[in-house]
Amino acid sequence: MSESFKAILVSRDDNKVQSVNTVDLTDADLMEGDVTIAVEATTVNYKDGLAITGKAPVVRKWPLIPGIDFAGTVLASSHPDWKAGDKVILNGWGVGETHHGAYAGRARVRGDWLVRLPSGMTAKDAMAVGTAGYTAMLCVMALERHGIVPARGPVVVTGAAGGVGSVAIAILARLGYRVIASTGRTSESDYLKSLGASDIIDREELSQPAKALGKERWAGGIDAVGSHTLANVLSMTSYGGAVAACGLAGGMDLPTSVAPFILRGVSLLGIDSVMAPREIREEAWKRIGTDLDAAKLASIATTIGFDGIEQAARDIVDGKVRGRVVVEM
């Protein structure tokens, strides 16, 4: 019999009541895939919090091991790109939603879903970045492709004290942008300034219904909140600017008008981290290796053990988590 490992399993009964249990599994319990990995580190993202608390329909196959990203070492592979001993990262691809995820000692996935761990980065470092940080890098790359360079003006980051926001601020500041951080936790001002934010604004300024056009305040934005916040960010984006939208912490709706688009030529850039093609992922992780200050990354991350995952999931949904949570397996 193969060696057992601990896993968190989310289940549903006949009345669709969700339960979360820690169980012992073996390799035979894993789903199909051509690469088996020893999970060395994972993280708790907002999406993972929703999956474990059941506050949104993230899990779509039952029972399931949640956890949308991990880093670890290949144990066995029949995929041509990977061999035993390779250090790999996985983000997205429906893992932790429809395919057994990260909250287990082992994972079995398709080799096409993996990227190589950048040299000089540990599994723990990679999960301090995690899906949130990788998404932040995709947002920065999208703004760059749209010509939003530091000389164009400041960039606003919403949900600034969260995982995406924290990493986005650190990357933008290192690249020379002036960063305006919007947060509901103004007590985190010193933390946000330590990451490189020049100005802090209270999220209340952006959470009321937006005017069709507001005063032009920034050249670009990275928004993880959605709803009225994104509508306000768009209405205050300067002529020819762009906003990268990657999250819905404030809601899935977008109560805006066409005014920013047709009167100021503003672009709304959609960012999807789950199904992004491999070449874009590889570029993002390569950039993370060069454009994210290691000391700032360390200050963004808090480390917990496997037993702390469930509580961290509840805390992140309640808005009590600052930065990134790394789980050492």
Side-chain angles (χ1 to χ4, degrees), residues 1-323:
M1 184 178 161
S2 65
E3 168 189 346
S4 68
F5 51 84
K6 279 202 173 351
I8 292 174
L9 203 62
V10 179
S11 308
R12 245 188 194 182
D13 66 16
D14 293 342
N15 300 316
K16 295 194 173 178
V17 176
Q18 181 168 314
S19 60
V20 183
N21 297 289
T22 299
V23 297
D24 287 313
L25 300 179
T26 69
D27 283 7
D29 298 304
L30 295 174
M31 290 181 182
E32 62 185 58
D34 47 14
V35 185
T36 304
I37 296 123
V39 178
E40 288 161 13
T42 178
T43 175
V44 182
N45 297 287
Y46 186 74
K47 199 172 190 178
D48 299 316
L50 294 175
I52 284 181
T53 59
K55 289 202 173 170
V58 171
V59 174
R60 299 194 299 284
K61 192 166 190 170
W62 307 88
L64 197 80
I65 300 167
I68 63 172
D69 51 4
F70 61 76
T73 302
V74 173
L75 294 171
S77 169
S78 59
H79 189 284
D81 292 354
W82 308 107
K83 62 182 190 307
D86 284 344
K87 303 286 185 184
V88 294
I89 301 169
L90 180 135
N91 308 104
W93 294 117
V95 169
E97 298 177 64
T98 57
H99 190 97
H100 280 330
Y103 298 157
R106 291 188 176 186
R108 187 184 293 129
V109 298
R110 288 176 52 186
D112 290 345
W113 298 347
L114 300 168
V115 295
R116 203 168 295 281
L117 183 73
S119 62
M121 195 178 267
T122 65
K124 189 177 164 185
D125 294 337
M127 288 300 103
V129 177
T131 284
Y134 146 68
T135 303
M137 190 76 238
L138 292 177
C139 290
V140 172
M141 286 159 52
L143 291 177
E144 289 174 341
R145 283 196 300 274
H146 200 78
I148 309 301
V149 292
R152 287 281 297 272
V155 172
V156 67
V157 175
T158 67
V164 173
S166 295
V167 179
I169 291 167
I171 293 170
L172 288 165
R174 178 149 181 171
L175 293 172
Y177 291 85
R178 183 172 145 233
V179 183
I180 300 170
S182 162
T183 180
R185 294 178 268 172
T186 46
S187 57
E188 301 287 14
S189 293
D190 289 346
Y191 163 73
L192 297 171
K193 285 183 173 164
S194 76
L195 295 178
S198 305
D199 308 270
I200 315 291
I201 59 174
D202 193 307
R203 76 165 166 226
E204 285 304 311
E205 284 191 47
L206 302 176
S207 60
Q208 303 309 311
K211 295 176 182 168
L213 285 177
K215 184 183 173 202
E216 295 180 51
R217 294 176 69 177
W218 35 72
I222 293 178
D223 175 66
V225 180
S227 195
H228 293 296
T229 298
L230 178 53
N232 275 292
V233 168
L234 288 164
S235 77
M236 298 177 197
T237 299
S238 58
Y239 192 90
V243 178
C246 66
L248 47 71
M252 282 194 78
D253 59 324
L254 180 53
T256 188
S257 74
V258 297
F261 310 116
I262 66 172
L263 298 177
R264 286 192 183 150
V266 168
S267 295
L268 178 56
L269 312 173
I271 305 300
D272 165 56
S273 62
V274 178
M275 304 308 260
R278 190 162 159 187
E279 57 273 20
I280 292 177
R281 292 167 182 269
E282 286 171 347
E283 185 190 347
W285 277 102
K286 192 174 167 187
R287 289 283 304 274
I288 285 162
T290 57
D291 296 344
L292 181 56
D293 185 305
K296 284 184 182 173
L297 180 59
S299 76
I300 289 169
T302 307
T303 303
I304 62 170
F306 180 85
D307 296 341
I309 290 174
E310 283 185 59
Q311 186 57 50
R314 288 190 282 272
D315 288 346
I316 200 166
V317 172
D318 291 341
K320 294 178 184 169
V321 170
R322 175 176 98 178

